[in-house]
Amino acid sequence: MSSIDAYLNRAFRIIVVLPLTGATTSAFVFTIFRLLGWWPDIPSRLLAVYDVVNVFYFAIAVYLFRTCKDEFGIIRPEKIKQGKRFVGFLVVAQWNFISYMIPDREWWAYLFFFIALTIVFFDIRFTSILSFLLTASTVISWIVHGKYMFLSSADPLFYPTLVLRLFCIGLTILTLLFITYFGGKYLVEELERHANYDPLTNLLNRRGMGAYLKSACEKVEAGKASFCLMMMDIDDFKHVNDTHGHDCGDEVLRRVAYTVTTGVKKDDYVFRYGGEEILVLLQTDFETAQLVAERIRKDIAKDPVRYREGVSVPVTVTIGLTAFERGKEAHAVLEEADAKLYYGKRHGKNCIC
């Protein structure tokens, strides 16, 4: 899962709700104002179409809510794309409806709110395109509804007002694009670290594990790759915590995690599965995976972990190893590796099953 996917997975529903809330609220407010006679210039038929269209938007949002997650609880990539298209279309359509349906010379100031709804995706291209479309629509609306939306050209404040509007729009859009770019570059990178990595071991955590396993299964089914799953557990870890304390246990975990990550390839994935269990997704065949697992087992057992002066803790691990095969599902492969691990734990430990 990429950093932006992790962010969208956690914020997807809010992202869809924000523009929808603005849309439905505006439809309600404009209708009430028209009935009260506060905005007599709004064509009744056009306002009715606007209200119906907003009901349609609501139906789309409900659809996205109900179909957005896969079996692992992760937002489906295609739903993220659909959600982005939905928000983009909604923002442009709403702005055009409002700016042309309701003549008011101060509408241009609301342009920034509509652009701000797009920066939540941290997609500089997406926000740039919509900023251009919204700004162009705004300028055109000044021409179409000139007598409502702008001062007369004979007014002494005409040119100062025009320059200040354009300056404000340009500067604010540049600021929003700046936030979009650097938000995606730095803030989402920080989110990735918190969302996808275990802070103690710096290994990937279980949050996005399902997506990696699903992708691995799909590649095996397509005949594009071979994958193996290695589940390992630190032997007698509870005894380490009870004897030397949890700080020592943390040091053992860090040492084992480091040995595992340095013992596999860069394109393999290492997860802290839970407690003292570590899961490794090896992108190789079963014979090579056995050699890798044996090397890691020996490297961990070779040297004890020196915690403090006079405290040396011997560490071993038991490993359950299994290969992906066509026709299997991700959860079945996980269960198989887990079963092999606990078979090894019951039959001597410090071994590979």
Side-chain angles (χ1 to χ4, degrees):
M1 185 189 292
S2 68
S3 57
I4 194 66
D5 288 339
Y7 162 73
L8 290 174
N9 184 58
R10 303 178 75 178
F12 180 81
R13 298 183 180 222
I14 298 175
I15 289 170
V16 173
V17 163
L18 279 174
L20 179 67
T21 301
T24 54
T25 302
S26 63
F28 175 78
V29 170
F30 295 154
T31 302
I32 295 298
F33 281 13
R34 179 66 178 84
L35 293 175
L36 293 175
W38 292 357
W39 254 319
D41 294 325
I42 303 178
S44 298
R45 291 182 179 180
L46 187 59
L47 181 58
V49 171
Y50 180 70
D51 291 339
V52 171
V53 168
N54 276 279
V55 173
F56 177 67
Y57 293 153
F58 181 79
I60 295 176
V62 171
Y63 168 75
L64 291 173
F65 266 67
R66 294 176 64 87
T67 63
C68 62
K69 291 189 177 182
D70 61 18
E71 63 270 28
F72 299 105
I74 305 297
I75 300 296
R76 301 174 190 271
E78 65 271 19
K79 294 301 176 184
I80 293 176
K81 293 179 181 178
Q82 289 177 13
K84 185 183 291 187
R85 294 192 191 106
F86 169 67
V87 171
F89 177 82
L90 176 62
V91 165
V92 174
Q94 289 293 107
W95 178 248
N96 278 277
F97 249 114
I98 293 171
S99 60
Y100 291 102
M101 180 175 66
I102 305 172
D104 187 287
R105 67 185 300 266
E106 301 303 328
W107 273 133
W108 69 273
Y110 292 88
L111 171 67
F112 314 126
F113 169 74
F114 282 79
I115 295 176
L117 291 173
T118 71
I119 70 174
V120 291
F121 289 97
F122 291 110
D123 184 336
I124 187 69
R125 182 171 176 268
F126 176 71
T127 301
S128 298
I129 292 173
L130 290 182
S131 297
F132 172 78
L133 292 175
L134 293 172
T135 304
S137 177
T138 301
V139 174
I140 293 172
S141 72
W142 293 348
I143 298 172
V144 173
H145 290 304
K147 63 178 181 178
Y148 292 108
M149 294 192 166
F150 222 88
L151 296 172
S152 168
S153 58
D155 193 295
L157 295 178
F158 174 81
Y159 288 106
T161 302
L162 175 63
V163 171
L164 286 174
R165 279 191 187 185
L166 295 176
F167 178 77
C168 180
I169 290 173
L171 185 62
T172 305
I173 288 177
L174 286 176
T175 302
L176 292 173
L177 292 177
F178 181 88
I179 293 171
T180 302
Y181 176 76
F182 285 100
K185 186 174 178 59
Y186 297 111
L187 299 182
V188 179
E189 286 178 3
E190 186 69 11
L191 174 68
E192 180 182 42
R193 189 173 68 84
H194 287 287
N196 292 344
Y197 287 85
D198 172 61
L200 176 63
T201 61
N202 289 320
L203 301 179
L204 289 161
N205 58 30
R206 292 181 65 172
R207 184 184 300 274
M209 185 184 68
Y212 288 104
L213 293 179
K214 181 181 179 182
S215 175
C217 288
E218 289 173 350
K219 289 180 180 179
V220 171
E221 291 293 339
K224 295 181 180 179
S226 298
F227 289 89
C228 294
L229 207 60
M230 184 167 69
M231 181 84 77
M232 78 173 59
D233 184 87
I234 300 174
D235 298 328
D236 303 313
F237 188 70
K238 184 177 184 302
H239 176 73
V240 174
N241 282 328
D242 292 344
T243 304
H244 303 290
H246 288 279
D247 286 345
C248 179
D250 290 347
E251 184 61 32
V252 169
L253 268 170
R254 282 191 287 264
R255 169 70 176 277
V256 171
Y258 175 79
T259 303
V260 174
T261 53
T262 55
V264 298
K265 296 181 297 184
K266 289 184 178 180
D267 55 352
D268 295 328
Y269 300 105
V270 185
F271 306 88
R272 184 179 179 186
Y273 189 69
E276 67 272 22
E277 287 186 323
I278 293 175
L279 180 71
V280 185
L281 186 61
L282 297 168
Q283 303 196 63
T284 187
D285 58 81
F286 190 63
E287 290 73 19
T288 304
Q290 291 180 72
L291 297 176
V292 172
E294 180 62 17
R295 185 178 70 248
I296 290 174
R297 186 193 66 81
K298 289 181 177 179
D299 286 345
I300 292 172
K302 181 173 61 177
D303 298 314
V305 173
R306 302 190 183 281
Y307 173 53
R308 290 175 181 167
E309 187 175 350
V311 178
S312 182
V313 182
V315 180
T316 62
V317 295
T318 302
I319 298 174
L321 183 66
T322 189
F324 286 91
E325 296 175 1
R326 290 187 180 183
K328 286 187 176 181
E329 295 184 358
H331 69 86
V333 181
L334 262 174
E335 290 173 359
E336 186 177 326
D338 200 48
K340 290 181 178 181
L341 166 65
Y342 281 97
Y343 179 87
K345 299 287 281 186
R346 293 192 301 268
H347 293 80
K349 302 178 182 178
N350 190 24
C351 61
I352 301 170
C353 294

